[in-house]
């Protein structure tokens, strides 16, 4: 097992490098980079850029920019830069690190990221690490509770549907699951806001943030109530479709195992249905469920709640990554990508190791990676 873990950890290095290189290459051809963003704002095509770029901003080259001292003259390779001082454009490129060749910028980025040094946001006076940690509680809350609730519903429901295969219960629950899966989560979120968050009918639930403004003044049990009070509607919107795939996967996995010869043998030895189901079938059927856990966890934790975060004004990692992409805030974009990719690879490794806890017959040392 130790050799297998070592091989998997070593394989993470080229995998991360490949992901970052591909993303970095795509970014080089994407129009509207940070320099263009600032130029557009300075030339009246955007908001006030002076406040956003004053005082530095996290580029590789350092050095500040004086947007207010921009003068007329010169030409530039950037569209919309006519009339701006070429020296100002050069300082702007240096601030964002674009005065260096692409390959040099990539190597510097990888070296910094290997040491978990993500620098500072281009357009916010805060380090990327602090920015990620600031948004992490929202993503942890949504991802953790979605995963627990969806698996807590899916596994028992899937087992019950397998046992009652073809019954009225199985048919009706399948219909409900398919309908719930077909309705987009963001549409359910809008409907919940209209009905229960002061939209047109009731004003029972808050619409903004993870906790109330007076959260620090509440007692411990009031804090728990307030926390779940804010999470109720977002979790309902996310969970309605989250458990559908896992439920059907659980059902089909148990059906496959129930039809195997060892189940008939176990029943012939005098074991009742419950003993056969949880003593023999459960361990084998759950392997495929565990295999799907990393994807479900990563999706729920990082990317599955983007629209829900926007609708319910929950400022989490998904919304952070989306906003940073629109603003071309590359340190934030690449840092979140790096963390997400690393977490995904680690969770997949943990999932493989969990196999051996459920089924000791699996030996990864005897197979190729």
């Amino acid at each position: 097992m130790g050799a297998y873990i070592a091989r998997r950890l070593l394989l993470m290095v080229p995998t991360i490098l490949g992901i970052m290189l591909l993303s970095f290459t795509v970014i080089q051809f994407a129009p509207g980079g940070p320099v263009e963003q600032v130029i557009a704002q300075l030339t009246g095509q955007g908001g006030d850029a002076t406040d956003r770029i004053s005082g530095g901003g996290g580029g590789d080259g350092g050095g500040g920019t004086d947007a207010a001292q921009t003068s007329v003259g010169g030409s530039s390779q950037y569209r919309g830069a006519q009339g701006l001082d070429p020296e100002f454009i050069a300082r702007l490129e240096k601030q964002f690190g674009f005065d260096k060749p692409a390959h040099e910028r990539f190597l510097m980025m990888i070296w910094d990221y290997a040491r978990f040094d993500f620098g500072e946001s281009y357009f916010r006076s805060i380090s990327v690490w602090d920015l990620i940690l600031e948004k992490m509680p929202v993503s942890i809350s949504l991802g953790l509770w979605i995963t627990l609730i969806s698996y807590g519903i899916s596994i028992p429901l899937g087992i019950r549907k397998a046992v009652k295969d073809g019954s009225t219960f199985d048919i009706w629950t399948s219909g409900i699951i398919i309908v719930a899966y077909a309705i987009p989560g963001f549409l359910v979120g809008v409907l919940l806001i209209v009905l229960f968050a002061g939209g047109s009918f009731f004003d029972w639930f808050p619409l903004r943030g993870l906790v109330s403004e007076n959260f620090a003044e509440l007692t411990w049990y009031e804090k728990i109530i307030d926390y779940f009070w804010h999470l109720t509607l977002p979790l309902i919107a996310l969970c309605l479709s989250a458990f559908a795939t896992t439920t059907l996967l659980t059902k089909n996995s148990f059906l496959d195992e129930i039809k195997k010869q060892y189940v008939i043998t176990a029943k012939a030895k005098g074991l009742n249905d419950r003993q056969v189901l949880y003593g023999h079938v459960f361990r084998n059927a759950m392997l495929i469920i565990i295999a799907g856990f990393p994807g479900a966890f990563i999706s729920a934790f990082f990317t599955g709640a983007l629209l829900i975060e926007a609708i319910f004004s929950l400022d989490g990692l998904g919304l952070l990554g989306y906003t940073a992409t629109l603003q071309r805030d590359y340190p934030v974009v690449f840092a979140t990508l790096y963390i997400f990719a690393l977490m995904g690879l680690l969770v997949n490794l943990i999932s493989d190791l969990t196999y051996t806890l459920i089924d000791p017959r699996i030996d990864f040392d005897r197979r190729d990676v």
Side-chain angles (χ1 to χ4, degrees), residues 129-145:
W129 257 126
D130 291 339
L131 192 59
I132 291 175
L133 292 177
E134 179 185 319
K135 313 300 182 184
M136 188 69 77
V138 172
S139 295
I140 290 178
S141 297
L142 290 176
L144 177 64
W145 290 113

Side-chain angles (χ1 to χ4, degrees), residues 37-49 52:
Q37 294 277 331
V38 175
I39 290 174
Q41 292 170 344
L42 290 172
T43 54
Q45 301 176 31
D48 183 10
R52 301 179 70 184

Side-chain angles (χ1 to χ4, degrees), residues 185-251:
F186 72 88
L187 185 61
V188 177
V190 172
L191 178 62
L192 292 174
I193 289 175
V194 172
L195 292 177
F196 303 113
S200 300
F201 295 90
F202 305 103
D203 191 8
W204 292 348
F205 295 94
L207 187 56
R208 182 178 297 275
L210 194 62
V211 294
S212 300
E213 294 182 358
N214 64 334
F215 184 77
E217 304 171 3
L218 302 177
T219 61
W220 66 269
Y221 63 88
E222 289 175 334
K223 289 181 178 180
I224 295 176
I225 295 174
D226 182 75
Y227 171 72
F228 284 105
W229 183 44
H230 283 75
L231 276 178
T232 298
L233 295 186
L235 288 179
I236 291 175
L238 285 168
C239 288
L240 279 180
S241 60
F243 65 87
T245 302
T246 309
T247 299
L248 297 178
L249 183 64
T250 303
K251 175 191 173 182

Side-chain angles (χ1 to χ4, degrees), residues 46-59:
D48 183 10
T50 306
D51 294 336
R52 301 179 70 184
I53 64 174
S54 59

Side-chain angles (χ1 to χ4, degrees), residues 54-295:
S54 59
D60 292 332
T65 11
D66 262 334
Q69 298 177 2
T70 315
S71 62
V72 177
S75 61
S76 173
Q77 61 177 321
Y78 300 106
R79 179 182 298 177
Q82 288 76 11
L84 296 182
D85 188 352
E87 293 184 2
F88 166 73
I89 300 296
R91 293 198 304 270
L92 196 60
E93 289 180 335
K94 185 176 181 181
Q95 175 183 333
F96 291 128
F98 289 101
D99 58 328
K100 302 179 180 66
H103 69 276
E104 185 176 339
R105 285 186 279 121
F106 176 75
L107 293 176
M108 291 177 62
M109 181 184 71
I110 293 299
W111 171 246
D112 290 337
Y113 283 16
R115 297 176 289 124
F116 290 93
D117 179 8
F118 300 126
E120 291 189 359
S121 168
Y122 280 165
F123 302 118
R124 311 186 193 192
S125 299
I126 186 174
S127 72
V128 176
W129 257 126
D130 291 339
L131 192 59
I132 291 175
L133 292 177
E134 179 185 319
K135 313 300 182 184
M136 188 69 77
V138 172
S139 295
I140 290 178
S141 297
L142 290 176
L144 177 64
W145 290 113
I146 293 168
T147 304
L148 291 177
I149 293 173
S150 63
Y151 270 73
I153 295 173
S154 299
I155 293 176
L157 180 59
I159 295 174
R160 185 68 176 174
K161 286 174 63 62
V163 173
K164 298 290 186 179
D165 183 42
S167 66
T168 303
F169 171 82
D170 180 41
I171 295 173
W172 276 100
T173 52
S174 294
I176 294 173
I177 288 172
I178 293 172
V179 171
Y181 183 74
I183 300 176
F186 72 88
L187 185 61
V188 177
V190 172
L191 178 62
L192 292 174
I193 289 175
V194 172
L195 292 177
F196 303 113
S200 300
F201 295 90
F202 305 103
D203 191 8
W204 292 348
F205 295 94
L207 187 56
R208 182 178 297 275
L210 194 62
V211 294
S212 300
E213 294 182 358
N214 64 334
F215 184 77
E217 304 171 3
L218 302 177
T219 61
W220 66 269
Y221 63 88
E222 289 175 334
K223 289 181 178 180
I224 295 176
I225 295 174
D226 182 75
Y227 171 72
F228 284 105
W229 183 44
H230 283 75
L231 276 178
T232 298
L233 295 186
L235 288 179
I236 291 175
L238 285 168
C239 288
L240 279 180
S241 60
F243 65 87
T245 302
T246 309
T247 299
L248 297 178
L249 183 64
T250 303
K251 175 191 173 182
N252 293 332
S253 178
F254 273 81
L255 280 178
D256 289 341
E257 293 296 326
I258 288 173
K259 297 176 182 179
K260 291 184 177 179
Q261 183 63 41
Y262 73 88
V263 174
I264 300 174
T265 303
K267 289 181 178 180
K269 292 182 177 180
L271 298 179
N272 58 42
D273 291 341
R274 186 177 183 83
Q275 290 174 324
V276 172
L277 184 65
Y278 292 102
H280 295 78
V281 174
F282 184 85
R283 183 176 63 183
N284 296 326
M286 284 299 296
L287 287 175
I288 192 171
I289 311 302
I290 293 173
F293 175 80

